[in-house]
Structures are given as structure tokens and as C-alpha cells.
Amino acid sequence: MVFKNVRDWLEAPAASVAERGGRLNVLRGAVARVTTPLLPDDYLHLANPLWSARELRGRIVDVRKETADSATLVIKPGWGFDFKFQPGQYIGIGLLVDGRWHWRSYSLTCPPDWNAPEHGGKRLISIAVKAMPEGFLSSHIVGGVKPGTIVRLQAPQGGFVLPYPPPAKVLFLTAGSGITPVMSMLRAMDRRGLVSDVVHLHSARTAEDVMFGDELRALHDRHPSFQSHLHLTGEQGKFALADLDAKFPDWRERDTWACGPAAMLDEIEQHWRAAGLAERLHVERFEIERSAIGEGGTVSFGKSGRSVEVDGATSLLEAGESVGVQMPFGCRMGICQTCVVTLSSGHARDLRNGDERREGDKVQTCISAAAGDCTLDV
Amino acid sequence: MAITDIQTFSHLTAADIETLGQELDTIRRSVELSRGERDAKYIRRTIAAQRGLEVAGRAVLFGSRNRWAWLAGTALLSVAKIIENMELGHNISHGQWDWMNDPEIHSSTWEWDQTGPSSQWRRAHNYSHHTYTNVLGKDEDLGFGILRMTRDEQWRPIHLVQPLANLLLAATFEWGIALHDWAIEKELTGTPKSELLSAPNREFARKIARQVSKDFLLYPALTGPAWKSTLKANATANLVRNLWAYAVIFCGHFPDGAEKFTIEQLEDETQAEWYLRQMLGSANFKAGPAMAFMSGNLCYQIEHHLFPDLPSNRYPEIAARVRELCDKYDLPYTTGSLGKQYLLAFRTIHKLALPDRFLKRTADDAPETSSERKFAGITLPNTERWADNNWLLTDPETGQRRGLRSALHEAKVVLEEKARHEKEVLREAKRALKEKARQEKELLREAKIALQEKARVEQAALRRKTVREKGFRVRLRRA
Ligand code: FES
């Protein structure tokens, strides 16, 4: 007990760093008594950007082209990264462009605790990014991020995961870059030698657009229990769910993971619900990388669970107050920064100049309005 | 009374103020749009340099028993603390670098190397002070509750010790700020004073414990045999930082020309009027690049108050544009050398330590506080006459706009003229008095002479009489 108290006390200054409870945090906390108000990490990362667990960081060690408009980034995370994530989870990644950090979330494509022999056996992670026509950051990544670049990371998260051990019969339904989280699941199964009866149906426009095509084929060859089906929409049109019965008659017996465009997921959900199988379906909705749309929308307040519909001229602060949410505020005119809150999803717009704010950004609620639906972390 | 009506005071119409506001918005927007890699590099380099200096300073102090090492270490540490305080802590907490979206350089998370917790300071400073700049009774930075910095504040006997209080505040500035912010935090959050373990109290205590133990316990202890000299070095570095921060703040807010406002001015204040209040309420001091950097660019206090959340490294270029606006609208742009600005503030501190009956000017017309009433009967044209057309005058000869700056100038000229005139009258009265005195003296002298003459005559008569009587007696005897 006493020991625990002492340890807690020692760790206290470092309580907020990523690597919680590690032995390193006791040391970090102890040293922080003399580096206060900073952490030792704040000095160390000046020597090596990866030497900080205060904010997770990583270095891009490899950029691999997957298709004409997609690429895999192999990243060596710095201190404090938890490699024991679950296959199917995503991470937040921040890239510096013109002095500003841009944050997006991407699914991890690697299995947990992965080390690639060609990178000297170091523990690494990988994500795959597909350039979206209007996607500023995805185009930037695919178009030319150099190995060596330092990125920021957020811990793996998300509930779209493959349990361990995997269910006996599995169906993966993916389209486009929706294949990325499933890749992590497949690779994890492969690595653990636990490939159960898996059917994977992947839609892409053309054969050239298929990400990880070779790897899927190799997996297919190595594991007789894994069937990979490609559906090329450019030739065959959209995959009709009605064909499931004919193609995979046992689909109802399978635990299903689906990931792809929203319209496809809506359809799948409906289909599964109609079949009374909603419980066995897991879907992952990708954040669609696009510019803010619309004026106003539904503003949700994550912590208090309230929401309200507002127009594009109402500030988020007013929106919150109108439904009784305790919003922090000060000057109410955009100068004091007292009202800053994290935008946990959706888009907002700075009313003073029309600048766009998006998921992960911190917004001044007194001078920002909803640009489409959005959620605030209060 | 300080300014109650900024429109009248500034000699601008509502429409003028509105356009001025738009022009300032344009400046803001252009800086926002051009923020980029160059600015980001600036702040990252500053951070790296500051940390480097601090580490170097602390390292050198291990040898602080040597006189030179002590001096070098203390100097390094002082500089590091000043940069940390001014260019980093102050500016980052203002949200000047929030646009970078960097979680480590963000107003919501930055903690500074001072006794008070950043979060409490942010509320008191960013909100109370920057929203209500120089509004009496609203902006508690106006004298920090210790000093009487405007004649509008009632004099109390305690103000007699103001010169001393000022010295004390300067030396312990970080503590002054910390206590001040702590009180405001409790007031703004409605925390009852009786609640000892309230969140603000706990946060305050924790921060102080960490700061004090770092500089006065742990570092000295770490340097072993050099603990005494290290302790002295740390105390000195804190003192240097305190004095410098104090000087910068006082030069930004209390030289003559940094106007004060009343609560009336706040009522229905437009955004553009808010801008104008910031402009008229702050003062700059002249600084080269090095001094500007060391002051956290607060030598550009006017620009900082107009745009508290724009990156500090852009203030010099903003300043050039603000000055142009001041010229255009004939508004004053208060600046001067650091020494001059501080002396003006210093003079105010000492003057206002005295009760009002010793003060010559009033709150409407003093060098450090004036109001629109100052112009009554001087330059203000009959407001009614000018009401619907633009009463911001244009000089018919030069085509120059004539506004506050000219009015202030004229007020000064008129006052000087008045003073000259009064002196003249006084001199004349004195001369008349002297003349009268001279005349009276003359009269007196004449009267005296007449009297003397009279006395002489009388005496002569008396003598004659005596002689006569003597002769009479002799004759009697003979007879
Ligand atoms: S309340 Fe002051 S910036 Fe929003």
C-alpha cells in the first residue's frame, strides 16, 4: 500500500503520458520533479524526436506504393506505443504540412507485435492510405511522403476487431480502402497460424485498383481455408447482396466484418437485419475525408450525451448552452481561448473567416459553427 | 472620470470606427492566411533554444562555487527563464500557435515555469484582462489591486506606501501574478473562500510546491557542495526574470497615453470599438530585434492587444500597418524608449500615491488618464451641428484628417497657452502690486517727512518759546 502510494506520487507528474504505469513512468515522474513544468521527454525529443511518450510519435521508415493511388506507410513508433493492439483497430496519425499538423485516422494493416525482417527485426506498424479525389492529406501522403518523416500518433483504438481466437466461420465484405482493417485481421490470423474458414469478398473498380492483390493470392494459396473473391465493379457492376445466397450459401452461418463506403454498409446492415442476423455483423464506417459540407447540422455533445440541431450561424457555444451543456467560456468574442474544445467528429467552421475545422482539431466554440453534423468532446 | 464614450473621445464617427475595424480585420485575415512553415519553425527553434539555454545554465551551476561559473550560470538561467516566460509561456497560452494543431504547443495544455498555474493565469489574463482592457472595475490588471494607477480610483491612506509596494511587486512579480490570478479564478468560478480543498486551491498549492521545490530544494541539492551558490543563483535568476517581466508589463500599460475606460463604455460596445479601446489603452516601447524577442514581442503591446492570438513573430509587420492606420485616422500611437515609458509609469505610481488634493490635474485631464471631457470647449466642434455629417474634420489647407491626435495636440497647445496667459496675468498683478507698494512706500515716506518737518517746526517753536521764557525770567530777575 505504502509502496503503491509512493509510486503513485513519483509517477504523478508523468500521469498523462502515453505509457501509463510503465516502470519508465516512475523514472519519468521522478525526473520531472526537476524539469517541472516540463517532462524529461520535452528535452529528450530535441535530441531524438522518437524519445518522447508525452505525445506518441513515429518515424516513417518505408513508403510502398500499393496501387496507382494508394500506398503503405511503414512506421517505427517512438516510446510508449502499445504494439498489443487488436487486429482491425485504427490509429490517429498527424502529419506536418506547411507548419500545421493535420490529423487523420487510418486502419492499421499490420498484425499486432509485427516486425518486418527487412527492417532489422524492429517492431513496426503499417497503415495503408488511398488518395481521395478531394482528400488533402491522403493525396499528400500517397503523392510523396518521404521515409524519415516524423509523424505523430494516437494510440490504436476502435471496436471493429477480430476476436482471438477467431470464430470458426468468417465472412469479410470489403470495398476500396475498406480492405485495410481486414488486412490486419488476415495477417494476424496468418501469423498466428489460425486461419479459420474465411471467405473474403472484395470489390474494386478494376484489377489495378485492388490493394494487396498479390498478398491475397499468396494467402489463398497457403491456406486452403481462405477463399478470396474479387469483384470488379468496372466490369460487373455493383455486387448485389441478393447474390450472396448463390455465391456463398453458408453466409448466414458466418460472423461477418464489413468495411467500405457508407452506402454499401447501409445496404449490408439492412440485409443482415432483414435476415435477423444483425448481431453477427460488424461494420466499420470510415471517416470520409472531404471538405466541410453544409451549414449547420446536428451538434452532439459526447460527454453529456446531449445534442441539438442548429443553423450555420449559431456558435457551438450557444448551441451547447441552449441544451444546458456546461460549456467553458470567457470573452465570447474569440480572443481568450477559454472556450476551446476538441471536435471529436465532423466539421465546424470558423465564423470569422470561414476556415474549416475537422475531427481532432481544437475549436474555439464561441466563434465556430457546425458545418454539417459534428460532435464536441464536452 | 476616465473615458465613457470612446466615439467622442476618439473624434471618430460610428461609421469611421466601423471602417477602422474592418481594416484591422483585413490585417488579421492576411496574417492568418500567411501563417506557415516559417512561423512554425520560429516557435520550434525558440523552444529548442530556450531549453538549450536552460540546460546549459543548470549544468554550469554545478560549478557555481566558482565566481565566473556562478555569473555565467545565473545569466544563462535568467535569459532562459525570461524567454520561457515572455515568448513561450505568455504567447503560447494566448493561443498564438494553436493554428499549428500541435498538441505540445497549444494554449490548452501549455504550462509555464512560474509559480501560478497557467490555467489560472489564462483565465485572469486572456479573459478578464484582454476582454476588459483598462476598464475600471473590470480589468483587475489595472494596478493589480495593489497600486492606484488612475485618479478614478479613490485614494486611501494605504496608497501612501505605493512606492514601496511597487518595488515589492517588481521583485516578486511572479508571486503577485500568481496570487492575483488565484483570486480571480476563485471569483470567476464562484468557489467559496471557506472551501479549503477547492480545485483552484489544490491546483495552486500543487504548482507552488513543484516550482519552489525545484528551484530552492532539488536543484541546490543536486549540485551537492555547491548547493548554497546554486540556491542563490536560482533566486537571482527568478528575481531578474521578475523585474524584467514587471518592466515590460508596466511599459505596456501605464505610460502616459495608455487610456482608461469606464464601465459605461462597455455597454453595447461593438467589435470595432473594442479594437479601438485596445489601441488607445495600450502603449508600446521601442526595441530592436533582440530586445523585442526578450520581451516576448510585448514591446508591440498595442498590436498584441489588437490581435492577442496572432503569432508574436508577426507583430513587427503588423505594427507597421497599425501605424499607417493611426496616421490615416489621426489617432495617437503611444510609444517611446523603454526608459522613457517606464519613467512615465513610475511617475504615475508616485504621483497617485498622494491624495487628490495634492494633484493638480483631474481624471478628465491628466497625462496618464484623460477623458472626452478634456476637450470640452477646446477642439470639439458642436456635436449637434456635426451630428449627421462627418464631423471628423478635414483640414481645409492640408487636406489632412483631423482627429484625436490633432485634438490632443491642440489641447496641449491650448493648455500651454492658458498656462502662459495665466502666468502673464499673474506677472501683471504682481507688477501692479509692486507699483502700489512702491507708491504707498512713497506716500509713507512723504508723510514721514511731513511729520518730521512738523516736528522740527514744533521743536523750533518750542525752543524759541523756551528762549523767550528764559529771557522773560532773566528780565524778571533783573527787574
Ligand atoms: S470565449 Fe473567449 S475565445 Fe471563446
Side-chain angles (χ1 to χ4, degrees):
Chain A
M1 195 61 207
V2 174
F3 174 72
K4 190 170 175 307
N5 282 347
V6 171
R7 187 182 163 144
D8 281 352
W9 177 79
L10 273 172
E11 249 185 52
S16 61
V17 302
E19 193 179 9
R20 273 182 207 89
R23 223 174 312 148
L24 208 56
N25 260 11
V26 178
L27 181 66
R28 184 176 276 125
V31 177
R33 305 274 162 191
V34 293
T35 58
T36 190
L38 299 177
L39 287 176
D41 303 43
D42 292 316
Y43 292 92
L44 291 174
H45 80 63
L46 295 176
N48 179 342
L50 295 190
W51 290 350
S52 171
R54 190 188 201 276
E55 299 289 340
L56 297 178
R57 291 146 184 269
R59 175 182 279 124
I60 296 177
V61 292
D62 199 2
V63 182
R64 240 182 269 144
K65 218 84 201 142
E66 290 295 342
T67 63
D69 64 353
S70 66
T72 284
L73 299 189
V74 181
I75 299 165
K76 175 181 164 20
W79 292 356
F81 188 84
D82 187 2
F83 290 90
K84 290 191 184 44
F85 54 88
Q86 288 174 280
Q89 287 193 306
Y90 61 89
I91 53 166
I93 173 166
L95 264 113
L96 188 63
V97 186
D98 292 334
R100 188 171 197 274
W101 290 91
H102 294 261
W103 287 90
R104 297 292 184 275
S105 300
Y106 293 107
S107 292
L108 287 156
T109 52
C110 58
D113 272 322
W114 171 59
N115 44 39
E118 68 263 36
H119 292 295
K122 279 179 259 156
R123 279 197 297 184
L124 303 168
I125 54 170
S126 71
I127 55 171
V129 179
K130 189 168 164 15
M132 298 290 165
E134 275 173 66
F136 160 73
L137 197 68
S138 60
S139 312
H140 175 82
I141 293 176
V142 174
V145 172
K146 303 249 163 342
T149 305
I150 296 296
V151 294
R152 297 191 120 95
L153 301 170
Q154 269 162 4
Q157 54 182 309
F160 185 73
V161 295
L162 184 73
Y164 179 80
K169 287 171 111 85
V170 176
L171 171 63
F172 290 135
L173 292 174
T174 59
S177 56
I179 194 174
T180 49
V182 165
M183 237 12 240
S184 172
M185 297 181 184
L186 285 172
R187 284 167 169 170
M189 286 185 186
D190 178 38
R191 206 155 172 263
R192 290 165 176 159
L194 260 179
V195 185
S196 46
D197 179 355
V198 178
V199 173
H200 179 198
L201 176 65
H202 179 62
S203 299
R205 213 171 54 79
T206 66
E208 288 77 54
D209 287 331
V210 178
M211 298 164 80
F212 312 108
D214 294 341
E215 197 173 343
L216 289 173
R217 262 189 300 281
L219 267 174
H220 185 94
D221 295 343
R222 257 203 323 272
H223 301 281
S225 61
F226 172 65
Q227 310 175 41
S228 167
H229 295 271
L230 283 181
H231 181 90
L232 301 179
T233 54
E235 297 161 17
Q236 301 160 272
K238 209 173 66 172
F239 181 82
L241 289 174
D243 292 348
L244 274 175
D245 284 316
K247 286 211 150 175
F248 316 106
D250 63 348
W251 67 272
R252 287 185 175 80
E253 297 158 30
R254 294 178 178 272
D255 283 296
T256 304
W257 277 264
C259 184
M264 164 186 139
L265 295 178
D266 289 344
E267 234 172 88
I268 291 176
E269 272 178 337
Q270 215 171 11
H271 199 74
W272 256 250
R273 219 176 305 126
L277 292 167
E279 239 94 286
R280 316 213 27 201
L281 175 69
H282 311 267
V283 296
E284 171 92 311
R285 284 175 189 276
F286 270 170
E287 155 206 15
I288 304 161
E289 194 192 341
R290 50 143 203 254
S291 295
I293 41 140
E295 299 250 316
T298 306
V299 186
S300 311
F301 300 88
K303 283 186 193 143
S304 53
R306 289 183 208 174
S307 65
V308 59
E309 186 130 353
V310 288
D311 61 16
T314 311
S315 73
L316 295 173
L317 177 60
E318 290 164 340
E321 288 175 340
S322 73
V323 286
V325 179
Q326 271 274 341
M327 303 284 291
F329 73 91
C331 64
R332 309 185 81 99
M333 61 191 297
I335 53 160
C336 74
Q337 318 288 321
T338 313
C339 61
V340 173
V341 162
T342 306
L343 194 63
S344 37
S345 77
H347 292 87
R349 189 174 283 121
D350 188 324
L351 286 168
R352 297 178 301 186
N353 50 31
D355 281 357
E356 206 173 272
R357 303 275 176 270
R358 50 174 303 135
E359 176 175 337
D361 287 357
K362 297 193 167 83
V363 295
Q364 283 168 276
T365 55
C366 69
I367 43 110
S368 304
D373 296 347
C374 62
T375 307
L376 290 176
D377 193 22
V378 265
Chain B
M1 276 272 260
I3 298 167
T4 50
D5 175 4
I6 202 166
Q7 201 171 313
T8 313
F9 181 79
S10 65
H11 289 57
L12 295 171
T13 62
D16 285 327
I17 297 177
E18 211 38 52
T19 11
L20 171 65
Q22 279 161 15
E23 301 207 49
L24 287 165
D25 275 338
T26 310
I27 296 178
R28 173 186 193 91
R29 189 74 190 125
S30 79
V31 174
E32 277 176 347
L33 282 175
S34 60
R35 284 181 303 207
E37 187 53 40
R38 194 169 52 98
D39 307 281
K41 257 200 195 119
Y42 169 80
I43 193 68
R44 283 200 301 269
R45 283 198 185 139
T46 305
I47 290 175
Q50 187 276 330
R51 288 180 189 165
L53 282 169
E54 165 142 22
V55 170
R58 300 278 189 199
V60 171
L61 285 177
F62 273 88
S64 59
R65 283 200 289 180
N66 172 298
R67 206 177 128 73
W68 291 107
W70 188 91
L71 271 175
T74 309
L76 283 167
L77 194 57
S78 305
V79 172
K81 278 188 179 258
I82 285 174
I83 298 174
E84 198 277 340
N85 222 215
M86 313 297 295
E87 187 64 347
L88 299 182
H90 175 268
N91 292 342
I92 293 173
S93 293
H94 259 298
Q96 295 186 357
W97 304 95
D98 284 8
W99 62 274
M100 296 197 305
N101 230 357
D102 186 328
E104 287 178 73
I105 312 178
H106 198 278
S107 63
S108 55
T109 51
W110 190 267
E111 188 61 58
W112 65 358
D113 184 27
Q114 273 222 101
T115 33
S118 281
S119 59
Q120 295 185 356
W121 176 77
R122 273 198 294 272
R123 198 187 281 266
H125 181 84
N126 290 10
Y127 169 51
S128 296
H129 170 59
H130 274 271
T131 316
Y132 302 115
T133 312
N134 287 11
V135 174
L136 229 98
K138 275 290 213 174
D139 175 9
E140 322 226 13
D141 280 20
L142 209 58
F144 301 93
I146 308 171
L147 305 178
R148 174 183 183 234
M149 295 308 285
T150 161
R151 293 165 204 243
D152 281 307
E153 193 183 330
Q154 184 125 55
W155 182 85
R156 280 175 294 130
I158 181 80
H159 290 128
L160 281 173
V161 298
Q162 196 149 294
L164 241 129
N166 176 47
L167 283 182
L168 196 72
L169 177 68
T172 61
F173 200 53
E174 59 174 322
W175 288 93
I177 298 286
L179 292 168
H180 175 74
D181 300 341
W182 178 47
I184 294 181
E185 171 82 9
K186 288 202 285 189
E187 192 184 303
L188 287 179
T189 54
T191 312
K193 283 221 174 67
S194 53
E195 200 185 323
L196 274 181
L197 291 178
S198 65
N201 284 6
R202 278 210 309 264
E203 201 187 356
F204 188 61
R206 197 178 314 129
K207 182 76 199 282
I208 290 179
R210 282 189 187 163
Q211 284 298 123
V212 171
S213 64
K214 166 173 103 160
D215 275 343
F216 299 107
L217 225 72
L218 295 171
Y219 266 113
L222 273 180
T223 52
W227 70 272
K228 235 189 211 162
S229 48
T230 305
L231 186 88
K232 268 188 224 154
N234 287 355
T236 310
N238 279 338
L239 177 72
V240 169
R241 186 262 319 269
N242 286 348
L243 292 175
W244 177 242
Y246 155 88
V248 169
I249 305 298
F250 271 59
C251 286
H253 292 297
F254 302 121
D256 297 357
E259 304 297 349
K260 324 288 184 294
F261 303 85
T262 58
I263 292 209
E264 283 93 326
Q265 166 51 34
L266 276 187
E267 280 166 21
D268 309 314
E269 184 175 71
T270 64
Q271 165 81 28
E273 284 179 333
W274 179 86
Y275 267 140
L276 189 54
R277 173 156 57 82
Q278 305 303 327
M279 259 166 115
L280 298 179
S282 323
N284 284 6
F285 60 84
K286 291 185 187 138
M291 194 147 82
F293 176 72
M294 293 306 280
S295 72
N297 281 297
L298 290 181
C299 55
Y300 299 105
Q301 190 72 241
I302 296 176
E303 288 70 21
H304 172 59
H305 262 270
L306 286 170
F307 310 113
D309 56 347
L310 290 185
S312 58
N313 63 325
R314 309 295 288 274
Y315 284 157
E317 69 186 68
I318 298 175
R321 300 174 70 172
V322 170
R323 280 196 98 131
E324 269 170 33
L325 284 182
C326 283
D327 288 340
K328 182 168 164 193
Y329 288 85
D330 198 23
L331 291 168
Y333 185 85
T334 312
T335 188
S337 70
L338 177 77
K340 178 191 150 204
Q341 298 297 75
Y342 182 69
L343 280 180
L344 288 175
F346 187 79
R347 183 173 74 173
T348 301
I349 295 169
H350 288 73
K351 245 185 343 196
L352 297 189
L354 298 171
D356 288 343
R357 70 194 136 96
F358 291 104
L359 301 177
K360 256 205 296 200
R361 306 277 191 80
T362 67
D364 287 327
D365 178 31
E368 79 284 354
T369 329
S370 52
S371 88
E372 65 275 10
R373 270 174 291 270
K374 170 194 187 101
F375 304 114
I378 298 182
T379 46
L380 256 194
N382 181 347
T383 337
E384 258 167 64
R385 185 152 59 91
W386 299 93
D388 13 70
N389 45 39
N390 193 356
W391 55 265
L392 184 116
L393 299 166
T394 310
D395 193 300
E397 273 162 37
T398 60
Q400 270 285 320
R401 215 164 180 167
R402 290 182 60 254
L404 177 58
R405 189 156 64 189
S406 305
L408 284 171
H409 187 70
E410 269 161 43
K412 206 165 140 195
V413 171
V414 167
L415 268 169
E416 273 165 8
E417 171 64 19
K418 208 169 128 199
R420 208 184 50 72
H421 179 73
E422 272 168 13
K423 230 169 162 178
E424 181 64 21
V425 168
L426 216 73
R427 216 184 10 241
E428 226 133 80
K430 217 159 132 195
R431 209 179 311 129
L433 234 80
K434 246 194 205 147
E435 174 63 15
K436 206 172 143 201
R438 203 188 51 74
Q439 276 174 9
E440 275 170 8
K441 221 161 146 191
E442 182 65 18
L443 277 176
L444 216 71
R445 203 162 50 88
E446 259 160 39
K448 208 165 137 196
I449 291 173
L451 265 166
Q452 272 169 356
E453 176 63 12
K454 202 175 152 201
R456 203 181 49 76
V457 171
E458 274 172 8
Q459 230 167 30
L462 206 70
R463 221 175 310 139
R464 268 200 308 273
K465 201 176 154 203
T466 323
V467 170
R468 249 199 332 262
E469 276 174 5
K470 235 185 188 166
F472 181 64
R473 270 202 301 273
V474 171
R475 258 180 280 145
L476 262 186
R477 235 182 282 143
R478 277 193 202 144

